Amino acid sequence: MLRFHCFFLFLCFCVGLQLVCSRHDPYVMRISCGARDDVHTSPTKTLWYKDFAYTGGIPFNGTSPSFIAPQLTTLRYFPLSEGPENCYNIKRVPHGHYSVRIFFGMVVEPSFDNEPLFDVSVEGTLVYTLPSGWSNHDDEQVFVETLIFLDDGTASLCFHSTGHGDPAILAIEILQVDDRAYHFGPDFGKGTIIRTVKRLSCGAQESLFDADYSGDHWGGDRFWSSIKTFGQNSDRRISTKNSTKSTSKAPNFYPGSIYQTALLSTDNEPELTYTVDVDPNKKYSVWLHFAEIDPSVTSAGQRVMDISINGDTVFPDVDIVKMAGGVNSALVLNTTVPISGRTLTITLQPKNGTHAIISAIEIFEVIIAESKTLLDEVRGLQSLKNALGLPLRLGWNGDPCVPQQHPWSGADCQFDKTSNKWVIDGIGLDNQGLRGFLPNEISRLRHLQSINLSGNSIHGPIPPALGTVTSLETLDLSYNFFNGSIPESLGQLTSLRTLNLNGNSLSGRIPAALGGRLLHRAKFNFTDNAGLCGIPGLPTCGTHLTVGAKIGIGLGACVFVLLIATCITCWWKRRQNILRVQRIAARDAPYAKSRTQFNRDVQMARSYSHEHTRTAAENGPPLLT
């Protein structure tokens, strides 16, 4: 039994350890724009990464325009010569809910003429337009903050020139937050983005920027400094447990330090009123933070308020102590309201008691996220950009179709209701000085209806994959340097009505399907191509051979030439051998003749001796003298 308990405890320990190890810290990415090395800022030694390989632009020395911005010494700016759209593309971002902050900088001392005024988009949605005079303020205008869901593994932050100064970016922060952070109602989710308009720590004379570890930018309400405040030097602990109340319940993530101060109305001004400038005809999410830190209030019913926005009561009979569950406890109220004018006015009017009180205010603009362009078509355009060597002035960074105020120059967009995405239905890059080639990836642009690349210096063959774009109606590739034959696949473009291939170096027979289309009121132009043939007005073609037949003939000719060369080589070697034998024979002839004569003389001498010997024997022995 003891052994079983030990095993059970060990198993629990292993499971608990695995759960702890499997938990991932929230994703954090801080970029010091223009920095060549990683930077740590005081006093918290916060790490800011160098911005290598995230974007184009030019690094430069810069200074923070206000105390709210991080104390960094470099920035990156984007001159108009590098294109009207420039983006930071950050990859490998985990799926989740993020606070994205972009801080602006200045290359030179600002003036009316050189102050950069530009638009900012996040994931293809326009979220902010820098107002004139932003560089002369030290509040929230020096940065833009949004809360957005990122679900494709990347974060695309783009800056769109409007013709007044060059965009200059000081720093970028991408901080993962709770998935239900600032849940403002049924519209909350992946289809919406909220942008910070105003965040005030009521009763604080100075900004509480980054007073909390989460780095929320709480500006002090210096405009109401004459009204009585509480808690400036208070050490009271503010309980936030079970203290959130809103139109839709949200988790408890609000920093406790904002409840250490509060703004209290006076006897002369029993109401509290805040007025914030906003853009008209938009929705705004308003978050009101309370904590009863006035020592004179000790129980429920002693302070009751009505809260109205632009004259409409949105929270009647607010009793902080009762709703928060006691004094020194936090209460959060939230509502979303449409605003037709240019101001948002919050009024707190006491009903029981003589004064109204509030600790903090947050106002966010609710932005409907733009539908993005089909990813496959974006990749097709990027391949086209690289293959054609598009000049920097055209840009082509970010999303081709959104924000709708800043589409790519030379790319026409159309909204596809079937996929609920934007698609590319036209490309117009005529007379742009392009010198590359046309890639096969152009077939990814499946919704193209027109292509005009005339008047450039594009070379290489026409890609056969172009014949798979069945929606194509107009194709103008005239006055380039295209060579090779016209692909047979172009004959499959049954919707094609205008085809201009004149002024190139094309050759071969025009596909029969294209020639037959001329009888159906199509307008085709094949002139100024010396090698084309096959239709009236062009030279007559010879025997038409397929590509396979041409390859076969070429291989046969090579084999025949090789065989002839082998035969000639063998004949030549045999001839050389015969000549060598004849030379040897001619050189040895005198020696052979003398040797033959010598042998003949020897034989004759032997014959004569033999005859004389026989005669003596026959005649008997010689007589002695």
Side-chain angles (χ1 to χ4, degrees):
M1 189 69 178
L2 179 61
R3 186 175 300 174
F4 172 76
H5 283 297
C6 292
F7 174 77
F8 179 74
L9 291 175
F10 175 76
L11 182 63
C12 292
F13 172 77
C14 292
V15 172
L17 182 63
Q18 184 178 3
L19 290 175
V20 171
C21 294
S22 63
R23 295 180 60 185
H24 298 287
D25 292 334
Y27 177 88
V28 176
M29 173 60 72
R30 291 183 173 94
I31 299 175
S32 176
C33 301
R36 293 175 174 83
D37 300 293
D38 296 342
V39 180
H40 290 83
T41 53
S42 299
T44 58
K45 301 299 181 182
T46 301
L47 173 61
W48 299 81
Y49 292 100
K50 59 184 177 182
D51 66 344
F52 177 75
Y54 288 116
T55 183
I58 301 174
F60 200 78
N61 294 328
T63 56
S64 303
S66 83
F67 63 87
I68 287 183
Q71 299 305 305
L72 301 171
T73 59
T74 61
L75 54 76
R76 185 174 292 270
Y77 74 98
F78 304 94
L80 188 59
S81 59
E82 293 201 1
E85 288 86 35
N86 291 275
C87 304
Y88 271 81
N89 296 303
I90 303 169
K91 299 180 180 179
R92 294 187 295 274
V93 179
H95 296 193
H97 195 200
Y98 289 87
S99 170
V100 178
R101 296 168 180 157
I102 303 171
F103 295 88
F104 314 126
M106 296 294 300
V107 177
V108 296
E109 193 66 25
S111 66
F112 177 79
D113 294 328
N114 62 20
E115 183 182 41
L117 304 178
F118 54 95
D119 293 341
V120 180
S121 67
V122 177
E123 289 294 294
T125 299
L126 185 66
V127 296
Y128 192 58
T129 298
L130 272 72
S132 179
W134 68 267
S135 58
N136 298 322
H137 293 76
D138 58 0
D139 55 14
E140 290 90 343
Q141 290 187 354
V142 300
F143 77 101
V144 60
E145 177 188 54
T146 61
L147 286 167
I148 183 174
F149 283 92
L150 301 176
D151 56 2
D152 60 357
T154 63
S156 178
L157 318 176
C158 298
F159 319 107
H160 311 272
S161 297
T162 58
H164 196 286
D166 298 325
I169 309 302
L170 183 75
I172 294 173
E173 281 185 300
I174 302 178
L175 311 174
Q176 190 171 9
V177 299
D178 190 278
D179 284 349
R180 291 179 59 83
Y182 291 98
H183 192 294
F184 58 83
D187 293 335
F188 176 85
K190 297 181 179 180
T192 55
I193 302 172
I194 61 174
R195 177 185 66 87
T196 304
V197 175
K198 182 69 68 175
R199 184 181 279 123
L200 295 174
S201 179
C202 302
Q205 299 301 307
E206 296 180 356
S207 171
L208 297 180
F209 170 70
D210 275 353
D212 304 290
Y213 182 75
S214 60
D216 294 325
H217 307 286
W218 295 93
D221 59 347
R222 295 176 294 278
F223 302 107
W224 292 272
S225 58
S226 61
I227 301 179
K228 187 176 181 181
T229 61
F230 277 92
Q232 292 282 9
N233 299 312
S234 175
D235 292 330
R236 292 189 179 190
R237 291 183 176 273
I238 306 299
S239 171
T240 59
K241 184 177 181 180
N242 299 324
S243 60
T244 299
K245 180 179 178 60
S246 62
T247 53
S248 61
K249 293 184 179 181
N252 196 13
F253 52 83
Y254 308 104
S257 61
I258 63 172
Y259 300 101
Q260 295 176 3
T261 62
L263 190 68
L264 190 68
S265 62
T266 63
D267 294 336
N268 295 330
E269 297 181 6
E271 294 183 353
L272 283 179
T273 301
Y274 281 86
T275 300
V276 178
D277 293 335
V278 296
D279 294 329
N281 304 316
K282 295 183 178 180
K283 283 186 177 182
Y284 293 88
S285 180
V286 181
W287 298 75
L288 306 175
H289 300 259
F290 302 91
E292 189 55 79
I293 60 175
D294 183 356
S296 64
V297 176
T298 58
S299 61
Q302 293 182 354
R303 191 194 312 277
V304 180
M305 303 175 294
D306 285 343
I307 302 174
S308 62
I309 297 178
N310 283 4
D312 297 326
T313 300
V314 292
F315 296 110
D317 302 326
V318 175
D319 187 334
I320 301 173
V321 176
K322 180 180 179 181
M323 298 170 69
V327 297
N328 300 330
S329 296
L331 171 69
V332 181
L333 301 179
N334 164 243
T335 187
T336 301
V337 293
I339 302 297
S340 58
R342 293 187 174 274
T343 58
L344 188 154
T345 301
I346 302 171
T347 303
L348 295 83
Q349 183 177 13
K351 294 181 66 176
N352 290 349
T354 57
H355 305 102
I357 191 172
I358 189 170
S359 294
I361 298 174
E362 292 178 288
I363 301 174
F364 300 93
E365 178 188 350
V366 179
I367 303 172
I368 304 301
E370 292 266 18
S371 296
K372 301 173 71 174
T373 306
L374 276 175
L375 182 58
D376 202 44
E377 302 217 349
V378 175
R379 291 173 176 170
L381 282 182
Q382 290 172 343
S383 298
L384 189 65
K385 171 185 176 180
N386 296 331
L388 294 179
L390 257 65
L392 292 175
R393 57 183 169 78
L394 289 179
W396 279 37
N397 297 307
D399 191 289
C401 302
V402 292
Q404 296 183 49
Q405 299 87 339
H406 300 281
W408 286 4
S409 177
D412 299 328
C413 300
Q414 183 179 19
F415 190 75
D416 181 29
K417 294 182 179 179
T418 303
S419 61
N420 201 32
K421 299 282 187 179
W422 289 91
V423 297
I424 309 300
D425 68 344
I427 294 176
L429 295 173
D430 51 306
N431 300 300
Q432 296 295 328
L434 308 180
R435 297 180 177 274
F437 63 94
L438 200 58
N440 278 317
E441 286 78 7
I442 196 172
S443 61
R444 290 188 169 191
L445 306 174
R446 296 180 293 105
H447 300 83
L448 278 177
Q449 298 180 19
S450 65
I451 299 176
N452 187 354
L453 298 175
S454 63
N456 291 292
S457 299
I458 306 173
H459 59 270
I462 299 174
L466 195 59
T468 63
V469 187
T470 56
S471 58
L472 201 59
E473 298 177 0
T474 300
L475 178 60
D476 191 345
L477 304 179
S478 59
Y479 299 107
N480 280 283
F481 294 98
F482 286 103
N483 53 38
S485 60
I486 300 175
E488 293 284 342
S489 60
L490 293 189
Q492 302 173 9
L493 301 178
T494 57
S495 300
L496 195 62
R497 293 293 177 267
T498 301
L499 175 62
N500 294 328
L501 299 179
N502 52 300
N504 285 284
S505 301
L506 298 171
S507 60
R509 182 186 295 271
I510 294 176
L514 288 178
R517 198 74 50 75
L518 294 172
L519 302 176
H520 300 279
R521 299 183 179 180
K523 298 179 181 179
F524 294 170
N525 191 342
F526 302 107
T527 60
D528 296 331
N529 287 280
L532 286 181
C533 61
I535 62 172
L538 295 179
T540 303
C541 296
T543 303
H544 179 68
L545 296 176
T546 64
V547 175
K550 292 179 180 179
I551 295 175
I553 291 174
L555 291 176
C558 292
V559 172
F560 178 75
V561 170
L562 182 61
L563 181 62
I564 294 297
T566 302
C567 292
I568 292 175
T569 302
C570 293
W571 175 85
W572 182 80
K573 286 182 176 293
R574 181 176 178 81
R575 178 63 178 168
Q576 292 298 316
N577 290 336
I578 294 172
L579 292 176
R580 185 170 67 250
V581 170
Q582 289 177 350
R583 285 196 299 270
I584 292 173
R587 183 178 68 245
D588 295 340
Y591 170 75
K593 181 178 181 181
S594 61
R595 184 175 179 83
T596 303
Q597 184 66 35
F598 173 76
N599 291 337
R600 185 179 302 164
D601 292 341
V602 170
Q603 290 176 1
M604 290 179 67
R606 285 179 177 177
S607 177
Y608 175 79
S609 175
H610 178 70
E611 290 177 357
H612 281 275
T613 302
R614 186 182 58 199
T615 304
E618 293 174 352
N619 295 331
L623 297 178
L624 295 175
T625 303

